[in-house]
Amino acid sequence: MRSAPWWALLSSGCAPVLLVGSWMIAQQRQGPEYDPTKDTLSVLAAYGATSYWLMTGMLLVLGTCYVVTAHALREAAPAGRVALAGGGLCALALTVVPAPSSGGALEHGAVAALGLVLLAVWPPLAAVRGRGPVPWGLRLGASALMGATALWFLAELQSAGAPGVAERVVTFVQALWPFLVVVSCRRGVGSRSGGEGRDGG
C-alpha cells in the first residue's frame, strides 16, 4: 500500500482533538444541569442548547476531516474509503437533523446510528488483500474494538446507565482511528522501502 500523503496526518489528527476539545468546552458552558455521565453529546448539539453553534461547527469540521482522510487513503480498498466518507457525511447530516431540545428524534437517531456503523466497519473494508502486509490499523481487530464500544453505548442507552461515558469512548475511538491508520500506512511503507534499500545494497 502506498504511503498516505503528509496532509492526511493533519486531516485525521485534527478530528479527535477537535471532538474532545469541543465537548469539553460545550459541557462547561452548559452548566451544572448537564451530567456528562448520563447526558449524551446530542444534548450539547441540540437546537437551542447553549453550545449549539459550537457543536454544529465541530460536526461540520469533523465530517469534513473524515471525507478528506478517506480521499487521502488512495490505495485503500474503495469500500472502506466509501464507508469512512459516509461516516463523515453522517456527521455533516447531523447538523441538518439536530436532536430536539427535549425528547427524541427518529431522523437524528437514524443518522447517528448509521454513522456509528460506517465508522466501525471501514477499517477492514479498506484493507487491500494481495498487496503485501496489511497495515495494523486496517485489520479486523480495529473494527471489533469499535463495534464493541458501539454495542456498549447502545446497552447504556437502553439501561439508562452511563450513556454519556460510553458515547464519548466510542466517538473518541472512531475519531482517533483514521489518524492511527494513516500513521500505520506511512510507517508500513517506510519500513518496506528501508528493507528494500538494504536488500539492494
Side-chain angles (χ1 to χ4, degrees), residues 3-13 68-69 72 74 179 182-183 186:
S3 175
W6 68 266
W7 47 266
L9 291 170
L10 182 62
S11 64
S12 60
V68 170
T69 302
R74 290 183 294 268
F179 174 73
V182 171
V183 170
R186 290 178 64 85

Side-chain angles (χ1 to χ4, degrees), residues 11 27 48 67 99 106 170 194:
S11 64
Q27 68 190 33
V67 173
L106 179 60
V170 66

Side-chain angles (χ1 to χ4, degrees), residues 14-169:
C14 283
V17 175
L18 174 71
L19 176 67
V20 175
S22 296
W23 89 44
M24 293 290 289
I25 295 171
Q27 68 190 33
Q28 288 295 322
R29 297 186 70 231
Q30 196 70 17
E33 70 276 8
Y34 181 80
D35 183 354
T37 300
K38 295 184 177 181
D39 295 329
T40 65
L41 298 175
S42 295
V43 174
L44 298 175
Y47 187 74
T50 303
S51 296
Y52 168 73
W53 289 111
L54 171 64
M55 296 299 287
T56 297
M58 179 273 292
L59 287 170
L60 289 172
V61 179
L62 181 68
T64 302
C65 285
Y66 288 150
V67 173
V68 170
T69 302
H71 173 70
L73 293 170
R74 290 183 294 268
E75 290 300 303
R81 296 176 67 195
V82 169
L84 176 58
L89 293 177
C90 286
L92 297 176
L94 287 175
T95 66
V96 181
V97 287
S101 56
S102 61
L106 179 60
E107 297 86 355
H108 176 83
V111 173
L114 178 59
L116 281 175
V117 171
L118 289 173
L119 293 174
V121 302
W122 83 267
L125 291 178
V128 180
R129 306 298 176 185
R131 295 190 185 181
V134 175
W136 59 263
L138 293 174
R139 293 174 186 169
L140 186 59
S143 190
L145 171 63
M146 288 184 281
T149 56
L151 290 175
W152 174 39
F153 173 48
L154 293 175
E156 292 294 339
L157 278 177
Q158 296 298 319
S159 65
V165 174
E167 184 184 27
R168 282 163 174 76
V169 171

